[in-house]
Amino acid sequence: MNEQKIHELLRSYFDGTSSLAEDRELRRFFAEEQVPDSLRPYRPLFAYIAEERAVEPPAKVEAKIVRLPWIIVTGIAASIAILFLIGLPKITQAEFVYYVDGQRVYDEEAAMESAEDKLQLLAASIQKAKTSMSAFETVRESTQSLQQLNKIPDAYRQAEDILSGFKTAGTESVQ
């Protein structure tokens, strides 16, 4: 095999793009006795790979599965749960914190009064919105009524046309 081809195969091998067949070709080449001087530094690498392939993997060692009796597992879980519950701080009503307008308030009554005031303001805003919506509905209904009124002149003209048609029909039948 020519030296240029081996250099190309080495480039693709080190780039990780070589195929299995190309890898086998490189291993065969470097296993030969006569290797050109420019390629001699790669020989130990491929000799090592060949040695590693020749070594048989160690026999599989079966792992023993240790099964703890369920009573031990349950006891450990219960112990952890008890430790967790003991470590939790007791929360009392005195530990609740109230904030009014971004300020910490220690008086529960003051906090409740402030909350009630805010709720009344919200209820008033909702009532205003309902009133505005009802005014909007009134305007919409008035607009529809005006549109109906705009149709009256057309109806009047049609009635006049019909009446004039009767008058001319009546004079024609007299003649």
Side-chain angles (χ1 to χ4, degrees):
M1 182 173 301
N2 78 23
E3 198 172 326
Q4 181 63 28
K5 169 101 170 139
I6 295 297
H7 278 289
E8 288 175 19
L9 288 175
L10 282 172
R11 222 174 282 114
S12 66
Y13 179 81
F14 289 118
D15 287 342
T17 58
S18 62
S19 67
L20 292 175
E22 291 171 333
D23 291 351
R24 274 192 298 268
E25 196 174 333
L26 282 171
R27 281 195 303 276
R28 267 191 241 117
F29 176 80
F30 284 106
E32 293 175 4
E33 287 296 320
Q34 293 185 3
V35 175
D37 290 337
S38 65
L39 297 171
R40 210 174 286 272
Y42 298 106
R43 192 171 192 176
L45 170 70
F46 287 96
Y48 174 77
I49 292 171
E51 283 177 29
E52 286 297 311
R53 291 180 138 241
V55 174
E56 286 187 34
K60 286 187 178 179
V61 177
E62 285 192 35
K64 275 190 174 180
I65 299 174
V66 178
R67 297 186 189 263
L68 294 175
W70 67 272
I71 219 156
I72 294 173
V73 174
T74 306
I76 292 171
S79 300
I80 291 172
I82 289 171
L83 288 174
F84 180 72
L85 290 174
I86 290 173
L88 283 179
K90 302 267 188 242
I91 298 176
T92 62
Q93 190 167 358
E95 291 180 0
F96 285 107
V97 179
Y98 305 99
Y99 286 91
V100 176
D101 296 327
Q103 300 294 320
R104 188 174 183 164
V105 176
Y106 295 96
D107 184 12
E108 184 178 354
E109 260 183 65
M112 292 301 286
E113 285 176 20
S114 175
E116 287 174 6
D117 291 345
K118 302 282 186 205
L119 285 173
Q120 287 175 356
L121 286 172
L122 178 63
S125 295
I126 291 172
Q127 189 59 39
K128 271 187 185 177
K130 283 182 179 177
T131 305
S132 298
M133 287 302 290
S134 117
F136 176 73
E137 278 297 313
T138 304
V139 168
R140 191 171 66 84
E141 289 169 3
S142 298
T143 304
Q144 287 176 346
S145 297
L146 286 173
Q147 287 172 346
Q148 293 297 324
L149 287 175
N150 285 339
K151 294 179 182 178
I152 289 176
D154 292 336
Y156 183 73
R157 268 189 237 107
Q158 287 176 351
E160 281 181 337
D161 289 344
I162 292 171
L163 283 176
S164 67
F166 283 134
K167 285 182 186 175
T168 52
T171 54
E172 289 175 4
S173 60
V174 174
Q175 294 173 350

